[in-house]
Amino acid sequence: MPLALLVLAAGAFAIGSTEFLTNGLLSQLSAELGVSIPQAGLVTTAYAIGQMCGPLLALALLRMPTKRVLLVLLALFSVGNLLAALSPTFGFLLASRFATAWSHTAFFGVASVAASQLVPATRQASAIALVFSGLTLAMLLGMPLGTLVGQAWGWRAAFLIVTAISVASLAGIATLIPRDREFAPPSLRESLRPFARLRLWVALGATAIGFGGLFASFTFIEPLLTGVTGFASQDVIWLLGIYGAGLVVGNWAAGKAADRALVPTTITLLIALTLALLGLAWGAATPAAVIPLLFVLGACGFGLLTPLQTFVLRFAGSASPLVGTANTAALGAGITIGSLLGGIVLAASHSYSAVNLAAAGMTLIGLVVYVVAASTARPAAVSRGS
């Protein structure tokens, strides 16, 4: 069981490495492809929009065994990254990012449900946290190293390395994940039944808005660090490492805390993320303030992944991969809304302080929506760790 979870985490590492790779290369993309910084930020938006479409791919693969689905998704992901590396134009890059993200959403949805079924109910959050640890390690190691590679050999080389990692992950899953011993294809009606409940859509809205506030800020973190705080471009690598360290700590701690107190953990993280974004709005020009704030942003923002995913699975009363994929798509919707909001505010105000104020406001709205969702949940849905 632990080895199976680690293999899933390895796939998550490959996917996470490409999701945020462009955040550390935004200025380079802008210069080489001849677009502005706000326009270059659309590579994040395009990926996030693709994540929102992931449930359609999950629905198409619904009647396939879990292992085969994971292999198909990683194969599609590898091809998408290769196309991104070979992009001749900015438009082609946007299209390849959009297509690649379809497999991203479905992978995390299927992998998180598979992980939750490998352990007792009281350890579901910890199991999902282990899978998402691949994503957090991608932020700690993958994104800074990708930025380093991009600065040394160009952004295309960074995408080629991610392609190689994803192919290796595919081989690991093919070798180490056991076949489904008994597989009964779920009916379409049973898989779609949870989506007939308005409560589930409120919970998905809380995921999108609460998490999306982080990306109204983080999409433009590299130009903020160099243009406002005054760090050199080479400093961005170790600064992203600090942010990534926050991800690892936050994901691990949130998984443990969510097993004991799911709803209070989520509310605490949303409040802390709002305060951290406000701190970045007011203290972006002060290096001594920005460095610890990067750690807190990572810990609180990505600490939300596990409790939000666990909450939706319990809230829906279904372990369907389609429900897990829908929540991952909601994360993508939040990144889309957040990155677009940040770009609009930046283009209108030319102020990174205004961007972070808008990000804090979005997270605060997400907190309100989550409280509404939690208050309408059936007690049994969140009784473990509520």
Side-chain angles (χ1 to χ4, degrees):
M1 181 275 297
L3 186 58
L5 291 177
L6 289 175
V7 169
L8 293 174
F13 176 83
I15 291 176
S17 294
T18 201
E19 180 179 10
F20 307 112
L21 182 66
T22 55
N23 291 90
L25 300 171
L26 214 58
S27 296
Q28 187 181 125
L29 284 169
S30 172
E32 182 174 331
L33 298 175
V35 295
S36 67
I37 290 290
Q39 287 175 319
L42 291 175
V43 295
T44 297
T45 305
Y47 196 91
I49 293 174
Q51 286 180 276
M52 295 168 58
C53 300
L56 297 177
L57 182 57
L59 191 61
L61 302 176
L62 184 65
R63 299 182 66 80
M64 290 176 58
T66 302
K67 179 177 180 177
R68 188 180 302 172
V69 171
L70 292 172
L71 292 174
V72 168
L73 294 175
L74 274 179
L76 293 173
F77 177 80
S78 300
V79 172
N81 273 284
L82 180 61
L83 291 175
L86 301 176
S87 296
T89 65
F90 183 65
F92 192 96
L93 177 61
L94 290 180
S96 63
R97 293 280 288 171
F98 169 77
T100 304
W102 283 55
S103 56
H104 171 121
T105 307
F107 178 87
F108 276 105
V110 175
S112 62
V113 170
S116 70
Q117 293 174 338
L118 289 170
V119 298
T122 54
R123 295 194 60 211
Q124 285 180 347
S126 295
I128 294 173
L130 182 54
V131 173
F132 276 114
S133 69
L135 179 61
T136 58
L137 284 174
M139 292 293 293
L140 177 62
L141 302 175
M143 192 173 72
L145 291 177
T147 302
L148 181 63
V149 169
Q151 291 178 352
W153 298 303
W155 61 269
R156 297 178 190 276
F159 275 107
L160 287 174
I161 289 178
V162 170
T163 302
I165 295 173
S166 63
V167 171
S169 301
L170 188 154
I173 288 177
T175 304
L176 298 174
I177 294 290
R179 294 182 180 181
D180 303 74
R181 294 182 178 178
E182 296 181 4
F183 177 72
S187 69
L188 182 62
R189 175 178 294 182
E190 285 297 318
S191 296
L192 293 176
R193 181 170 303 187
F195 296 94
R197 304 168 188 151
L198 179 60
R199 296 191 304 269
L200 176 59
W201 291 100
V202 176
L204 293 174
T207 292
I209 302 171
F211 184 72
L214 173 66
F215 274 82
S217 169
F218 187 69
T219 298
F220 304 97
I221 195 65
E222 184 257 351
L224 179 146
L225 292 173
T226 56
V228 178
T229 315
F231 286 107
S233 59
Q234 58 266 30
D235 291 327
V236 173
I237 297 170
W238 64 266
L239 289 167
L240 291 178
I242 290 175
Y243 179 85
L247 302 184
V248 174
V249 173
N251 181 67
W252 175 82
K256 296 293 184 182
D259 275 332
R260 297 190 300 268
L262 178 59
V263 173
T265 295
T266 312
I267 291 175
T268 299
L269 288 170
L270 286 167
I271 293 173
L273 178 58
T274 301
L275 294 176
L277 289 167
L278 288 174
L280 194 61
W282 294 323
T286 306
V290 168
I291 292 174
L293 282 172
L294 285 174
F295 182 88
V296 174
L297 284 175
C300 296
F302 278 75
L304 283 167
L305 291 177
T306 294
L308 287 173
Q309 185 84 328
T310 305
F311 179 77
V312 167
L313 290 175
R314 292 182 184 174
F315 195 80
S318 170
S320 165
L322 200 57
V323 173
T325 301
N327 192 60
T328 311
L331 294 171
I335 296 173
T336 301
I337 297 168
S339 61
L340 285 175
L341 174 64
I344 291 170
V345 172
L346 181 60
S349 67
H350 303 286
S351 168
Y352 289 101
S353 292
V355 170
N356 283 286
L357 287 173
M362 183 174 177
T363 305
L364 185 60
I365 294 172
L367 170 62
V368 173
V369 177
Y370 181 81
V371 170
V372 171
S375 66
T376 60
R378 294 182 301 246
V382 293
S383 59
R384 294 184 303 273
S386 59

